[in-house]
Amino acid sequence: MDGVGVLIFFALVGAFIFAKARVPSGAVAFTVVALALFVATPVGRGVPDAVAGFFSTVDDAATPVLNQEDSGASR
């Protein structure tokens, strides 16, 4: 495992320890650090695009409902 992989592992272990101790702020902080480290790796470079694509799809599906556009179906 390379240096970044070890840091990600320790960040996840820290998040797990804080979660078991029921300290949510510590668990969230360690999880955010682990996610930031993962996105910095070559494997995680596609994560921001995948998240953006997911939210774009959800937005496209939700916009007609939220704008109460008539789809032609009777209620």
Side-chain angles (χ1 to χ4, degrees):
M1 212 182 322
D2 62 340
V4 176
V6 172
L7 290 175
I8 293 170
F9 175 74
F10 282 126
L12 290 175
V13 168
F16 177 75
I17 290 170
F18 274 99
K20 290 294 278 185
R22 295 186 180 175
V23 181
S25 59
V28 168
F30 273 91
T31 302
V32 168
V33 168
L35 182 62
L37 289 170
F38 177 72
V39 169
T41 64
V43 174
R45 295 222 192 270
V47 171
D49 291 335
V51 171
F54 173 76
F55 282 119
S56 175
T57 302
V58 170
D59 182 48
D60 292 344
T63 298
V65 174
L66 295 175
N67 291 338
Q68 299 178 350
E69 295 176 4
D70 189 20
S71 63
S74 62
R75 294 183 189 186

